[in-house]
């Protein structure tokens, strides 16, 4: 049941995009595989990357730089790279429809990565939980659906808009920069245990808004 809950956002997205937006299921499966393929290099780089603990900085500033560099820059650049093989030629020639479909495929890739992370989180904590704790774990997974999964989805969407703009001009580097910074700030605030943690919710909402703004900007350029 827990694994199904972890993948529920991805399953829901596939159903919605297939029947609501007519996105080919085969292309969505490719996006899912690309999202999963990004997990290993992201984990490898983040594990072996040099620590910044030796730099003379305040703990807060060090945590912020680590979040932006490790979770923002590394993840979003790698996610941008894995989006390159996504089917696009048939979408590039249809302007608005192509932009929308490519964004939806990027969403699927981001959800694939985010849902897999939730599964890892579930198994890591399940063995430490008793019967009551396991029940509480489902609530924590539900929280991840509306926070971590949404961040992965929207930031990957921004990366997808960047890739789309590179192919169709003009290039919107701001899409990639926004994904890096917003993901970094989310992880920074999510790392707190007190009231500061609530700012991560604000970052999630900002990321949704930013994705919409960038999409509209590309739409205006196409016109």
């Amino acid at each position: 049941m827990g694994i199904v809950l972890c993948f529920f956002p991805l399953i829901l997205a596939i159903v919605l995009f297939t029947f609501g937006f007519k996105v080919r299921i085969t292309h969505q499966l490719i996006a899912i595989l690309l999202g999963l393929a990004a997990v290993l290099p992201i984990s490898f780089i983040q594990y072996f990357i040099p620590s910044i603990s030796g730099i003379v900085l305040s703990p807060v500033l060090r945590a912020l730089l680590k979040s932006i560099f490790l979770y923002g820059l590394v993840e979003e650049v790698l996610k941008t790279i894995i989006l390159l093989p996504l089917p696009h030629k048939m979408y590039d020639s249809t302007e608005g429809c192509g932009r929308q479909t490519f964004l939806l495929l990027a969403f699927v890739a981001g959800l694939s990565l985010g849902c897999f992370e939730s599964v890892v989180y579930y198994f890591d904590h399940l063995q430490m939980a008793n019967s009551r704790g396991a029940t509480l774990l489902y609530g924590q997974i539900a929280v991840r659906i509306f926070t971590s999964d949404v961040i992965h989805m929207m930031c990957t969407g921004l990366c997808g808009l960047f890739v789309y703009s590179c192919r169709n001009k003009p290039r919107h580097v701001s899409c990639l920069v926004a994904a890096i910074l917003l993901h970094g700030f989310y992880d920074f605030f999510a790392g707190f245990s007190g009231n500061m943690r609530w700012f991560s919710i604000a970052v999630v909402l900002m990321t949704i808004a930013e994705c919409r703004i960038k999409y509209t900007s590309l739409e205006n350029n196409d016109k």
Side-chain angles (χ1 to χ4, degrees), residues 4 63 67-68 73 83 107 119 129-130 170 212 222:
V4 175
S67 295
I68 293 178
L73 181 63
L83 292 178
F107 281 165
V119 171
N130 52 30
R212 175 60 184 172
D222 286 346

Side-chain angles (χ1 to χ4, degrees), residues 32 34-36 38-39 42 75 79 82 108-118 149 152 156:
I32 291 171
L34 290 173
L36 293 176
V39 174
I42 287 175
E75 281 200 32
K79 282 194 287 185
I82 63 101
V108 172
L111 276 175
S112 174
L113 192 154
C115 291
F116 181 80
E117 282 191 356
S118 294
D149 287 355
H152 279 296
T156 309

Side-chain angles (χ1 to χ4, degrees), residues 6-212:
C6 289
F7 280 106
F8 176 75
L10 180 60
I11 296 171
L12 181 62
I14 292 173
V15 173
L16 177 62
F17 296 165
T18 301
F19 296 101
F21 295 92
K22 308 303 180 183
V23 182
R24 292 188 179 185
I25 186 66
T26 52
H27 292 174
Q28 294 186 68
L29 291 175
I30 292 173
I32 291 171
L33 293 176
L34 290 173
L36 293 176
V39 174
L40 186 58
I42 287 175
S43 301
F44 180 84
I45 292 176
Q46 290 179 350
Y47 182 80
F48 287 101
I49 204 161
S51 174
I52 62 174
S53 59
I55 303 177
V56 181
L57 295 170
S58 67
V60 173
L61 184 56
R62 187 183 298 118
L64 178 60
L65 290 177
K66 179 180 179 181
S67 295
I68 293 178
F69 185 68
L70 279 182
Y71 305 111
L73 181 63
V74 171
E75 281 200 32
E76 300 311 322
V77 168
L78 284 173
K79 282 194 287 185
T80 299
I81 294 173
I82 63 101
L83 292 178
L84 295 177
L86 274 179
H88 64 89
K89 290 185 178 180
M90 63 179 295
Y91 301 134
D92 290 346
S93 61
T94 54
E95 293 189 354
C97 180
R99 181 182 58 255
Q100 180 189 78
T101 304
F102 195 79
L103 175 64
L104 296 179
L105 289 175
F107 281 165
V108 172
L111 276 175
S112 174
L113 192 154
C115 291
F116 181 80
E117 282 191 356
S118 294
V119 171
V120 174
Y121 172 89
Y122 174 76
F123 281 116
D124 281 346
H125 289 75
L126 184 61
Q127 60 183 351
M128 300 182 296
N130 52 30
S131 58
R132 181 182 179 185
T135 302
L136 294 175
L137 190 61
Y138 292 119
Q140 294 171 343
I141 293 175
V143 171
R144 286 182 62 87
I145 290 176
F146 294 102
T147 54
S148 180
D149 287 355
V150 174
I151 278 291
H152 279 296
M153 176 180 174
M154 291 298 156
C155 286
T156 309
L158 287 168
C159 295
L161 292 176
F162 170 67
V163 172
Y164 181 88
S165 71
C166 289
R167 291 190 175 120
N168 296 275
K169 301 295 185 296
R171 185 180 293 108
H172 282 236
V173 181
S174 59
C175 293
L176 179 58
V177 173
I180 292 171
L181 293 178
L182 288 168
H183 193 164
F185 281 119
Y186 167 79
D187 277 285
F188 171 70
F189 288 117
F192 287 91
S193 57
N195 291 332
M196 288 286 288
R197 188 179 182 88
W198 289 103
F199 282 98
S200 63
I201 305 298
V203 177
V204 172
L205 298 177
M206 288 175 58
T207 308
I208 296 173
E210 186 67 16
C211 193
R212 175 60 184 172

